[in-house]
Amino acid sequence: MADDRERLLPPKSSTSSSAAAAKSRESAAAAAAAARRPLFQGMDFLGLKKRGQGLRSWIRVDAATGSSQIMEVDKFTMMRRCDLPARDLRLLDPLFVYPSTILGREKAIVVNLEQIRCIITADEVLLLNSLDSYVLQYVVELQRRLSVPPGDAFGGDTSPDYLPFEFRALEVALEAACTFLDGQAAELEIEAYPLLDELTSKISTLNLERVRRLKSRLVALTRRVQKVRDEIEQLMDDDGDMAEMYLTEKKRHMETSFYSDLSHPLGTIGAGQSVSAPVSPVSSPPESRRLEKALSLARSRHDSMKSSDSNEHIEELEMLLEAYFVVIDSTLNKLTSLKEYIDDTEDFINIQLDNVRNQLIQFELLLTTATFVVAIFGVVAGVFGMNFPIKLFDQPGAFEWVLVTTGLCGVVIFCSFLWFFKYRRLMPL
């Protein structure tokens, strides 16, 4: 049996024992490594971070060529690109409802006007991509205006087509917002006036419900138009905010000051020091420190020039804002007139209802008086219906005389009430 068993079983390898020992050591090492491993080590935090940043689609319109392209940019990249805080980008978030806002920053203008949500810089416009037709119209109109050759910058031409790039983009945004709001106001007027006229002729529950919905839409639209008007008026009243919006001029002053300050230290070093004289490594700053110093000096010089030039160069922006302020104020006047017409219609309806109510009260008063007169016949009938003998019953024409006398008394009493009502002016008779 032992010989048969050895013959049937497969031959044992010489390395089986060593392989089993190595396998046990590997399992022990894996268990120890798993114990030392962090809880979330296997998760892709980089991918989660990228997904959490929230990539959004933006339409970029170049200022030089007018070409447009769609790009996917996350919030933090956009903050670094335009030098904007996070709270300004939240104004453009379509997931939140913010009122209309126009903010002037150091390197950009943040615009949130109805469907137009964009960031305007001196070199480009970054428009939040949307399927709304007004967004596409904004891009097409901006490209059309950029295709117009700019006039002579020193010719004194104050046409809106020859404004700086940021003002052209802002003008198109204001025009799109004012056109959109004015169109909604016109649609509301077309729908409101026939409905109100129908309500005055026929007061019904259906017409009252339609007017209620119309008034709710009117209040919401008036609030939006009022916010745009207040925003433009606030910009017109603050010269500092208008001066902040001259991005092209600020960029040109910054570049001019930067390059002049870069060339100035090099020239002074070459003139003040001999070529053969040794230069101390401690006294000569590195190139990065020299660039930072020149940049800070350019910024300080730009800030000092900005306060002196702000009052001289805001006229064109003020004229631009004033033009669209007149447009949005006209739209607000339309909505105000429509609201007054609705209020007048409501007052007219209330007067009509009061008149009907007064007529019903007068009719009820007449019915009450007539009921009192008829009740007199009931009293007479009750008196003569008693079971006791009266000599009047023996007369042949007694019934007719009682009936005529009672009727005449009722008519006299009814006429007396009517005279009293007229005397007291309780009803027009």
Side-chain angles (χ1 to χ4, degrees), residues 359-389:
Q359 290 179 358
L360 291 176
I361 293 174
Q362 293 173 5
F363 183 70
E364 183 182 1
L365 186 60
L366 290 177
L367 287 181
T368 304
T369 306
T371 304
F372 176 75
V373 172
V374 173
I376 298 176
F377 287 90
V379 173
V380 175
V383 170
F384 282 94
M386 295 297 176
N387 191 11
F388 55 89

Side-chain angles (χ1 to χ4, degrees), residues 53-60 69-75 78 92-94 117-119 125-131 135-136:
Q53 288 177 356
L55 294 176
R56 296 196 181 277
S57 178
W58 296 80
I59 301 177
R60 179 183 179 272
Q69 61 178 353
I70 299 177
M71 59 182 186
E72 300 285 338
V73 183
D74 62 290
K75 182 175 68 173
M78 186 62 66
L92 307 179
D93 197 340
R117 304 181 180 208
C118 62
I119 301 174
V125 172
L126 298 171
L127 183 68
L128 195 62
N129 194 6
S130 175
L131 299 178
V135 175
L136 303 179

Side-chain angles (χ1 to χ4, degrees), residues 194-212:
L195 179 59
L196 294 174
D197 294 339
E198 182 181 357
L199 181 62
T200 55
S201 61
K202 181 182 178 182
I203 302 175
S204 62
T205 306
L206 179 61
N207 290 337
L208 289 174
E209 178 65 21
R210 292 170 61 187
V211 171
R212 186 191 65 82

